[in-house]
Amino acid sequence: QGTPDAQTRIHRTIHLESPGFDLCTREVNLEWSSYQIITFPEFPDGETEALPFSVYQVFVNGSFAASVGMEETSLDLVLEAPGLQTFSVRAAEVDHPSEPGLYAESNTRQATFSWPELDEPVLTKADVTGEASVELHGHVAGDYQQYVFYFERNRPGEDFIAAGQIDLSSDDLFFVDEEVDGLDEGIWYYRVRAHLVDDDQECPEPAVTSGMISTIWLGGEIRTQSSDQLLLEFGFDQDPMADTFILQQRLPGETDFSDVAENISSPYPLDLSGELPLAGELNYRLLGQSGTETARSNVVQISVNPEINIPNAFRPGSSLVENQVFSPQFIGFTPDVYIRVYNRYGLKVFESGPAPGAAWDGSLNGKDAPEGAYFYHIVYTSNNPHVEDGEISGTVYLLR
């Protein structure tokens, strides 16, 4: 036979291996042999020649998916949907799917992939149920039995921290977060993430993460307090905001909350002047209604402390009615009052029976008592379970 005068070079084709699949990441792994041109006389150890190609192009179901350099022979692709998939690789002169120039194609591989499908979990409300307790409600749709669900919470602008895990027995999401500090200091955000379980191994990264929902935070304070006026002001925050808010109140001696204002916005003033006299702990909470869901805020406790103002002087002839008599002023409660007044010699010049609004008009035995300093002793019975009985002594100056 002898040595041939001319021989072709050997072109090694691209061989695409059977694809691998990672269920946790939904990534398919493609590996292929490199395209090579080998000079025949040195085969199989001959030197390879420069290729006329610049990239490998990967196609999924006939559509261009990605490209890599000629030095690469593998690629991981995230699948967008389950089902039958067709893969191929092309070595191309130009990195353009429709105008590749010179090219060489691999064999074709087909494989069917599937995974448990789950829609994004939906949180419908974060319900404050105690001083450090929040109930989370929501729902899921899909193959939730093959997922493990975790709840997380954070303060606005901070990192999320783990709040707990729940294994679902239905498509209703429910979780109680029992150790939540600072519910009266501001809102907490919540979200839920679902991790797929593959062969009893939990995937490290979540397959799906829900949107965020926050608790309702309510704050309140006394703006004005006097003998005939009590004004409170409330502010609140939630994200996203409910459709409507209802303010509820529980006054001292009451066992249940009752509605006091509807469709309110923040800040909101509340006039309790009509409830006077009032003393003790006032409790408030906010209900946020979104569709059929009603979420509760933290409970705000406002202390209305009783006050006793006793004048140090009075003038029966004053043009101001409140300055014409000596009478203690009680704010927040209306007690029965017993007053005794003595002159500087210890002689009793006035005595009242125990009754609300007791007062001395500056008279003595039907005549004007002389100007000067007088000693008083006041005993009062509060008639309010939140205010203790008491007595006060001091000096008042009668002016003429």
Side-chain angles (χ1 to χ4, degrees), residues 384-397:
N384 186 317
H386 302 281
V387 182
E388 296 182 355
D389 300 343
E391 55 184 286
I392 305 171
S393 298
T395 301
V396 62
Y397 204 85

Side-chain angles (χ1 to χ4, degrees), residues 41-281:
E42 286 79 22
F43 183 82
D45 299 320
E47 295 183 0
T48 59
E49 298 183 15
L51 299 176
F53 310 125
S54 64
V55 296
Y56 288 112
Q57 297 174 329
V58 178
F59 291 81
V60 180
N61 299 325
S63 298
F64 174 76
S67 60
V68 296
M70 293 300 293
E71 70 279 2
E72 302 291 336
T73 57
S74 66
L75 180 67
D76 292 331
L77 290 173
V78 177
L79 296 182
E80 298 298 328
L84 178 65
Q85 313 283 336
T86 301
F87 305 97
S88 63
V89 177
R90 183 170 71 184
E93 180 183 13
V94 180
D95 190 13
H96 193 290
S98 60
E99 298 178 3
L102 294 176
Y103 65 90
E105 292 188 303
S106 74
N107 58 311
T108 298
R109 292 287 187 178
Q110 286 190 326
T112 299
F113 303 99
S114 64
W115 54 80
E117 294 196 56
L118 184 72
D119 292 342
E120 180 181 303
V122 176
L123 286 176
T124 55
K125 71 172 180 176
D127 194 12
V128 178
T129 56
E131 291 184 0
S133 178
V134 177
E135 288 184 358
L136 277 297
H137 296 260
H139 54 82
V140 296
D143 302 319
Y144 62 85
Q145 299 93 339
Q146 293 182 254
Y147 290 83
V148 175
F149 294 84
Y150 293 92
F151 287 89
E152 301 175 317
R153 55 177 153 84
N154 78 335
R155 288 291 196 194
E158 298 180 0
D159 293 333
F160 275 93
I161 58 176
Q165 174 184 339
I166 181 171
D167 295 318
L168 298 183
S169 58
S170 71
D171 57 3
D172 289 327
L173 279 173
F174 176 76
F175 174 74
V176 180
D177 193 2
E178 296 181 339
E179 298 181 2
V180 190
D181 295 328
L183 287 173
D184 58 347
E185 298 174 0
I187 63 175
W188 277 102
Y189 281 103
Y190 281 87
R191 72 180 182 187
V192 60
R193 51 186 172 87
H195 291 249
L196 180 64
V197 177
D198 180 22
D199 292 332
D200 296 327
Q201 295 295 316
E202 181 181 313
C203 296
E205 296 298 323
V208 179
T209 301
S210 75
M212 295 185 298
I213 190 172
S214 81
T215 57
I216 305 174
W217 170 81
L218 177 66
E221 61 181 352
I222 297 175
R223 302 297 295 180
T224 303
Q225 181 182 5
S226 65
S227 60
D228 59 356
Q229 192 175 42
L230 179 59
L231 299 178
L232 310 182
E233 184 172 277
F234 296 93
F236 56 90
D237 192 13
Q238 188 193 26
D239 184 18
M241 298 293 284
D243 299 329
T244 185
F245 292 96
I246 299 172
L247 184 65
Q248 292 193 316
Q249 170 183 269
R250 186 178 66 208
L251 296 179
E254 297 178 347
T255 57
D256 295 320
F257 282 92
S258 59
D259 297 350
V260 292
E262 298 183 2
N263 300 318
I264 69 172
S265 58
S266 179
Y268 179 76
L270 180 64
D271 189 348
L272 290 183
S273 301
E275 299 286 346
L276 297 176
L278 195 64
E281 303 297 340

Side-chain angles (χ1 to χ4, degrees), residues 314 316 324-326 360-364 367-370 374 398 400:
F314 71 106
Q324 294 175 359
V325 296
F326 170 68
W360 178 39
D361 62 3
S363 64
L364 174 61
K367 298 181 180 180
D368 291 342
Y374 291 83
L398 170 61
R400 292 295 179 184

Side-chain angles (χ1 to χ4, degrees), residues 283-300:
N283 293 277
Y284 292 88
R285 71 182 181 190
L286 203 62
L287 302 183
Q289 294 183 331
S290 300
T292 60
E293 297 284 357
T294 300
R296 289 170 289 182
S297 75
N298 56 299
V299 175
V300 172

